[in-house]
Structures are given as structure tokens and as C-alpha cells.
Amino acid sequence: MALTASLLLRQGLLYSARSNFIKASTATMVMQSRSRHSDPLPHLPVPALEDTLNKYLRTVKPLVTDDEFRVTEEIVNKFKAPEGIGPKLQVRLEQRAKARENWLYDWWMRSAYLDYRWPVVVWSSPGLVFPLQEFKTLDDQLSFAAKMIVGALDYKRMVDEKIVPVEYMGKDKLDMSQYFNILGTCRIPGVTRDSISFFGQEADPPKHIVVAHNNHFFKINVYDKNGNTLSARQLVHLLRNVVERSTHPTNPVGLLTTQNRNVWGKAYKKIRKDRMNRASVDEIQRCIFLLALDGPIVNPTGNIMTDAALNCVHGNGPEGYAGNRWYDKTLQFTVGKKGAVGLTYEHTPAEGPPIANLMDHIMDFIAKGKDGLEAESKQEIQLPVVDVPRPERLMFNVSQDIKLEIEDAKVSLQSLVDDLEMTCFNFTGFGKNFIKSQKLSPDSFLQMAIQLAFYRIHKEPGAHYESASTRKFLYGRTETIRSCSIESVVFAKTILDPEAPVSQKATALRNAVEAHKNYVKSAVNGHGVDRHLLGLKLSAIEAGFDVPTLFMDVGYIRSSHMRLSTSQVPAKCDAFMCFGPLVPDGYGCCYNPRPDNIMFGTSAFNSSPETDSATFRAALEESLMDMHSILLADGGIKSKL
Ligand SMILES: *[C@@H]1O[C@H](CO)[C@@H](O)[C@H](O)[C@H]1NC(C)=O
Ligand SMILES: *[C@@H]1O[C@H](CO)[C@@H](O)[C@H](O)[C@H]1NC(C)=O
């Protein structure tokens, strides 16, 4: 069967194409690929200029006045005219695409992540909340943490052995390279630009994890001297040792990683001047992943899902567990004292799906008792835990100067924590089964519900980002789905019009869902608007040209000020991903559609008087229920005829 076949990806190729800001390319990963899977993935296309600009105009229309639209049209016409700058940039971009395996890969990594100077906390790193656990004792907490570690290492084994099933979108194989990029990876701060290191792909990859407790960091080798993974029971023993040796909080050096990246980049240079610090930082950066043992939730909101989400996203700041983290690390699990469990991941190397799959694997591994912990503790005579070296404390020599940096980080992070508010919930009215029964795409349906919720609150449409996967292509990442469309506005207006008959509402709904579905189709096939326009803009910058007027126009600015930042991240279990808004007056909304319910993580900023996540939740639930009853009512009418 196709699913058991090894990965077709030849990771080695990726490195030759990467420029030097991506380090640790000593990897000798040569993917063996069975012949029928060895056909290479297609390259990301460069769409035709005319096609992109026509699509672009349609997405601008709902967001500007008629006068503004005429100006945008004029600018677009000048841009694309034979003597305009557009065709010249298009030629440059096509040349770049011919010379590379993925024309966007490096540019995207840089412009979306490594050059982005705002904190990764809230602004970039998503949280993933696992199904809620219930811990009564420290033992419960440590046992779960140990099982999680064993489950994650089992996943790593599958990645290393290249037996993670190749994913498909319809009949098309997807690029699997992101799976290799999440373990043993770390973002490295720089003064003006960060870099990323894939330590897991070095010839001698790391064999340790780092466990954080009370802001202390400990290194744990997770393989014994024969190369076998430690058992969950051995890990419980080591975790208990960590807890016993870190009963009081220490200087929260990890808080530095929550800073603006330039500020952290400078502090990073200072901290590395000390040899001991350098060694400790190296161990943290190189580890396979980090696991943070937290206390109980601080400042609870009363909604346990929201509390767990906030703890994943920002650790509840300096008064909470933000110092018990290293936010540069790609993968950081968090295990709270009472049962809030999750992870936060640094977004540079991967999108959500590989991370959600890792979680599903861990939860399934634990549910099936594969960690062996329960079986072992039932044995009558338990063998003593021998031969495991105790965890190594990673020490920091915190100078006065670094103390001041930490104080600054506290202030900055606290204001970010105070600003972010979230509302996470389990929508139980219906799930994707109902939507499918109406012959509609569940994702497009949910996206239209989000548009409708925004319109309901703000009485105007909002520019709306949804990420689409371009993993059909070699090293593909994402394209933007511009979910706000001419059809979505007609739909929102019609639904909210008390005079409109049900049949008209249902038609508007179906049209909007269909239009969205078509955009998705273009986007996943590399024919969206945003990445192409970014390519043209970066081509101009690289050639030393002025940035074209197109990118300064109100139509461009308004249609890319994404007041809704959304993503579907499906998971097998009742988990959900969550993140902050993309813009100060926007919302974040991530969802996991399940057969009969939908998990939502929504967010907004307190500093914007216009947005509020609880209001958004109410509008979203109302919109979903309206859409549900309209379809039923319309179906009822039809079946009578
Ligand atoms: C800590 O830093 C100070 C000042 O740089 C230095 O004098 C001292 O030797 C360092 N201590 C250790 C244990 O490295
Ligand atoms: C969400 O709702 C569904 C359907 O009512 C229920 O089965 C599930 O347990 C709920 N999950 C959570 C995490 O509340």
C-alpha cells in the first residue's frame, strides 16, 4: 500500500538550494524511495501576471469604495502594461523559478519569519492544546510527561526510519520535508535577522531533551548506552530528580526569548560571552525538544480551555511560566500541574499539520498503553531504576547586565500578555458531518461563518487570511486564501437582511461557499494572489528597483491588512490550535472540525476597542446556527415541491 511506502523526499536536495542563513546543512539524509514513489514532486509555478492581477482586483473590490477601486484598477493597468514594471519583474521571477527547486522557499522563510522582528510569542508561535488531563498528584503529572516524551521519541523514530505515511491531497502526494524539520531544530536570534539550525539533521544528531522546571533547565539523555530509548519509568525517575533539584524559581533567563528579536539578538551576544552560559545555551538549542513542567494555571479566566491555550501561547507571562520556556525552540511541550497539557511551536520550519500529527501520535501511543508504564508498575517486583545518569543542570552565570535585560523582557512581555485575550470553545451545534450532508465543503462553510461573524459585528467585511497548503509542490509551504470575496459580502448582507427569503439566503450561502472553494483550489495549485505578488515585490527589491506603486495603493494595503487570521488544523483528538491576531485590530481564529463538534481557539487584543473575542465567539456561534437553520429550512421547502 502507498501509505507504508517510504518518503519520496530527497531531503539532501533541499540543502543545496538553501542559502547560508540556514545552518547545519551537514545532513546526509538521502531518502531511499521505492521506484513508484520516486517521481519528483512538481515545482511551485509562477502564475501568469494577468491571471493574478485579475484575481487580485476581485479581492480588493469588497474592501474599498468605488473611487478607490478605480484608482487601484488604474495602478494595476499601468503595472501590467507592456512598458510597465510588472512584465519585467515577471521575467525575473520566472528566471528565479527556473534556477531553483522552489522559488519562494528562502524568501518566505526570511520575510515571514527570520526577518520578522516582533516577538515570536503571541505574534508568531502558535499553541496546541492537547485534550485536557486530570492530575491529582505530582506523580500523575510526571507520569504523563514521561509518557509524552516516550511517545514523541517513538514519533521521532518513525521520522528517522522514514516510515511516517506519505500524505495525500486527493490523488496528489504531498511534500513531507517539514516532518524532518521539527525535531532538534532551533531558531537562533540575530541583531537584524535570525537564522535557523537543524541540529537533528547533523551527522551526529543530539540525543538529549531539555526539561524546564521553575526556570531551571536540565539536560536528559533519552537513550541508554545501547541506543535504546529510556522507558517511561526511567523517565519518571529522572523527572522527579529534576523537580527535587529545582524547588525554587531561579533567574528566568528563558524570558529573554520572548523579546523583540533585535533586543534578544543583542542580549544573546552578551549572554554568550560567558563560557558556561554558552555551553548551556548550546545544549538547549541542540536538544531534540524541550518539555516544561509548570505549576497550576495562574490568573485563571474561568474557562479551562482558554486557560490552557494562554498557557501554551505565552505561559501567562513573567508571573506565570514564560521564564520556564525557550521560545526559540521549535518544539516545546508544556505539562501543567493540574492537567493543562499542550505545546507551543516556533513557526519558522513548519506549518501546523506535522505538529498536530505528532500530538495525535502521542495521544494514541498513550491511549494504547504503548509507553508500558502502567504494565510495568503492575508487576509485583519492580526492578530498581539503574544505569541512568542523573539529569545535568544547565547553569547560567547571570550578570548584572543580563539581569537588566531580563527585567526589560518582563515589562515587554507583561504588556503583550495584558493585551492578548482569548476565547476557546467547543461548538457542539453540529460538526463536519452535517456540512458534508449538505454537499458543502466543511472548510469553506466554516470560513464563510467566520466572514459572517465579522460582518455581524463590524457591519463591514474584513480582509481575511486563511492558510492553504502548497505541499503538492517540492518544499511547498503555504498560500493565502483571501476568504473575503464579492460573494461572501453578498452572502453576509443577505443573511442579515430580515426581508430576504430563505431560498435567497441559501443560494447566497451556497454561492459564497462555492467561490471560496474555487479560491482554495487555485491556492493549493500555486495560483493564489499573495505569494506571487510577494515574489514580484521581492524581485523589485532584489533588482534595486523602487517598490512599485501597486504595493502602496490603498487597495493593496486594505486587502492585506488581515483583520481575520484563520487556519484549519484538523486533529484526530479533541485538541485545538490557537494563535494571536495578525494585526492590532484583528482576530485570530483556528479550528479543528470534528464529525459532530468543532473546537475553536479565537483571540483579539484588548488595546483595540473594536475587537473582543467573547463577542466574536457569540457572533460566530450565531452565524453557524443561522447557516444551519437556513439550509434545513431551504431543504424543507425543496422537499415539499
Ligand atoms: C561569572 O561571570 C563573572 C563576570 O563575567 C566571572 O567573573 C565569573 O568567573 C563567572 N563565573 C563562572 C562560574 O563562570
Ligand atoms: C466537545 O463536544 C462534543 C460533543 O458534545 C463532546 O463529545 C466532547 O467531549 C467535547 N469536548 C470537549 C473537549 O469539551
Side-chain angles (χ1 to χ4, degrees):
M1 272 306 293
L3 286 182
T4 58
S6 59
L7 303 183
L8 71 155
L9 246 244
R10 292 175 308 280
Q11 191 82 346
L13 294 177
L14 178 53
Y15 299 112
S16 55
R18 283 178 176 173
S19 33
N20 58 6
F21 66 91
I22 301 166
K23 293 181 189 136
S25 44
T26 49
T28 49
M29 264 217 174
V30 181
M31 301 284 141
Q32 72 260 47
S33 46
R34 305 215 179 125
S35 53
R36 85 202 129 98
H37 284 99
S38 61
D39 35 320
L41 290 173
H43 287 197
L44 183 70
V46 176
L49 192 57
E50 180 80 22
D51 286 356
T52 298
L53 293 171
N54 287 341
K55 271 194 201 117
Y56 165 67
L57 284 174
R58 283 181 61 81
T59 67
V60 170
K61 192 134 211 307
L63 297 163
V64 294
T65 64
D66 288 348
D67 285 346
E68 286 167 338
F69 189 69
R70 271 191 289 277
V71 174
T72 302
E73 260 182 328
E74 228 169 80
I75 289 173
V76 164
N77 286 336
K78 264 195 203 144
F79 181 82
K80 73 177 183 194
E83 68 284 2
I85 185 75
K88 293 187 186 69
L89 298 177
Q90 177 76 3
V91 168
R92 298 187 73 95
L93 193 54
E94 283 166 1
Q95 281 166 351
R96 179 182 170 94
K98 274 203 196 95
R100 289 166 186 258
E101 294 179 292
N102 184 316
W103 61 263
L104 182 60
Y105 188 88
D106 285 13
W107 271 351
W108 182 250
M109 194 96 110
R110 261 192 315 231
S111 59
Y113 302 109
L114 301 175
D115 280 350
Y116 185 76
R117 308 321 289 160
W118 289 21
V120 294
V121 179
V122 176
W123 287 110
S124 171
S125 297
L128 175 60
V129 180
F130 284 34
L132 201 69
Q133 307 296 313
E134 201 181 316
F135 304 147
K136 294 205 173 69
T137 61
L138 177 64
D139 240 31
D140 289 348
Q141 184 190 10
L142 300 186
S143 296
F144 191 87
K147 292 177 192 179
M148 230 173 159
I149 294 169
V150 181
L153 292 172
D154 187 64
Y155 193 77
K156 178 178 186 302
R157 175 190 59 78
M158 289 172 61
V159 172
D160 291 346
E161 291 176 5
K162 295 138 200 144
I163 55 172
V164 175
V166 174
E167 292 172 308
Y168 283 77
M169 187 187 287
K171 285 191 192 120
D172 298 308
K173 271 173 292 200
L174 298 185
D175 178 282
M176 295 295 285
S177 57
Q178 288 180 27
Y179 283 81
F180 294 90
N181 295 344
I182 57 180
L183 293 152
T185 305
C186 197
R187 181 161 160 165
I188 314 292
V191 175
T192 55
R193 167 181 291 173
D194 292 0
S195 58
I196 183 161
S197 288
F198 298 97
F199 299 107
Q201 296 169 3
E202 289 181 345
D204 184 17
K207 299 188 173 52
H208 69 280
I209 62 167
V210 167
V211 173
H213 181 245
N214 270 332
N215 312 334
H216 299 260
F217 296 100
F218 289 86
K219 172 183 177 180
I220 294 183
N221 283 314
V222 286
Y223 299 99
D224 66 16
K225 52 183 184 295
N226 302 319
N228 298 317
T229 311
L230 297 190
S231 70
R233 195 158 78 90
Q234 285 171 313
L235 285 163
V236 170
H237 174 78
L238 296 178
L239 293 174
R240 196 174 297 122
N241 181 273
V242 164
V243 170
E244 282 163 8
R245 290 163 65 201
S246 53
T247 49
H248 296 291
T250 186
N251 278 315
V253 178
L255 272 182
L256 297 172
T257 65
T258 69
Q259 267 285 26
N260 165 290
R261 303 304 295 178
N262 289 350
V263 176
W264 171 214
K266 283 185 207 133
Y268 179 72
K269 286 193 162 173
K270 288 187 201 161
I271 207 165
R272 284 189 78 88
K273 283 198 184 123
D274 179 283
R275 202 162 50 168
M276 187 169 70
N277 291 347
R278 199 158 59 230
S280 296
V281 168
D282 284 348
E283 295 288 13
I284 296 174
Q285 290 176 336
R286 289 182 56 83
C287 73
I288 300 168
F289 56 78
L290 194 145
L291 182 136
L293 294 169
D294 292 350
I297 296 284
V298 299
N299 307 325
T301 61
N303 172 339
I304 180 68
M305 283 175 68
T306 301
D307 289 341
L310 290 169
N311 196 53
C312 285
V313 169
H314 58 41
N316 288 303
E319 289 167 15
Y321 306 104
N324 205 36
R325 305 272 188 278
W326 197 268
Y327 283 99
D328 296 350
K329 199 63 203 159
T330 302
L331 205 52
Q332 269 195 111
F333 295 98
T334 59
V335 182
K337 197 180 179 75
K338 295 279 162 68
V341 177
L343 61 80
T344 174
Y345 82 96
E346 201 289 305
H347 211 320
T348 309
E351 265 67 58
I355 313 279
N357 280 350
L358 165 66
M359 174 199 60
D360 277 335
H361 183 80
I362 293 173
M363 294 312 293
D364 186 56
F365 188 85
I366 295 177
K368 292 192 174 135
K370 289 192 191 163
D371 55 83
L373 192 61
E374 260 73 58
E376 220 183 317
S377 47
K378 278 199 198 100
Q379 283 170 7
E380 284 186 8
I381 307 156
Q382 284 193 22
L383 297 170
V385 180
V386 288
D387 265 4
V388 281
R390 69 181 208 147
E392 178 191 332
R393 187 193 296 278
L394 302 176
M395 309 235 272
F396 283 94
N397 187 3
V398 182
S399 64
Q400 203 48 42
D401 204 12
I402 297 297
K403 278 201 181 117
L404 291 176
E405 296 281 358
I406 293 175
E407 289 310 308
D408 282 352
K410 276 186 190 168
V411 175
S412 308
L413 180 62
Q414 190 59 51
S415 66
L416 199 48
V417 168
D418 290 343
D419 202 7
L420 183 74
E421 45 108 353
M422 286 183 133
T423 302
C424 303
F425 60 100
N426 183 7
F427 174 78
T428 56
F430 56 90
K432 64 181 173 191
N433 283 352
F434 166 75
I435 308 172
K436 281 190 196 155
S437 78
Q438 299 299 306
K439 309 246 177 314
L440 294 170
S441 145
D443 186 62
S444 296
F445 181 96
L446 295 174
Q447 284 289 315
M448 290 307 101
I450 294 169
Q451 261 299 310
L452 177 56
F454 188 96
Y455 202 100
R456 207 182 268 281
I457 300 168
H458 300 283
K459 318 283 180 248
E460 61 176 7
H464 183 161
Y465 181 115
E466 181 190 11
S467 49
S469 170
T470 49
R471 283 172 55 206
K472 272 192 194 180
F473 303 102
L474 191 60
Y475 311 130
R477 296 284 308 250
T478 59
E479 172 60 276
T480 305
I481 299 162
R482 293 184 161 213
S483 290
C484 176
S485 63
I486 294 171
E487 293 82 357
S488 79
V489 177
V490 172
F491 154 69
K493 285 185 176 157
T494 311
I495 301 290
L496 298 174
D497 175 4
E499 307 295 316
V502 148
S503 62
Q504 193 187 338
K505 291 185 180 188
T507 304
L509 189 163
R510 289 183 182 277
N511 286 345
V513 167
E514 193 59 26
H516 182 268
K517 207 173 109 190
N518 288 335
Y519 201 111
V520 173
K521 211 159 143 194
S522 306
V524 299
N525 287 306
H527 287 270
V529 165
D530 290 72
R531 301 299 178 268
H532 187 195
L533 290 186
L534 176 70
L536 296 169
K537 185 176 167 186
L538 292 176
S539 294
I541 293 170
E542 214 167 80
F545 301 156
D546 289 339
V547 173
T549 327
L550 181 90
F551 300 100
M552 278 89 90
D553 168 49
V554 65
Y556 179 82
I557 291 168
R558 212 168 292 153
S559 69
S560 42
H561 181 78
M562 298 294 181
R563 297 195 63 190
L564 286 157
S565 167
T566 66
S567 184
Q568 172 184 196
V569 181
K572 290 206 190 90
C573 52
D574 250 355
F576 62 98
M577 209 169 251
C578 51
F579 41 72
L582 215 49
V583 296
D585 59 346
Y587 301 94
C589 179
C590 194
Y591 50 94
N592 172 14
R594 320 241 324 122
D596 299 303
N597 66 301
I598 306 158
M599 309 290 289
F600 280 102
T602 72
S603 61
F605 288 118
N606 285 316
S607 55
S608 164
E610 288 181 52
T611 57
D612 172 64
S613 67
T615 309
F616 187 72
R617 172 202 178 151
L620 184 54
E621 292 200 296
E622 199 180 346
S623 300
L624 287 164
M625 291 319 294
D626 279 356
M627 290 165 74
H628 182 259
S629 45
I630 286 162
L631 287 174
L632 288 184
D634 187 48
I637 288 162
K638 259 189 204 144
S639 62
K640 268 185 230 146
L641 289 175

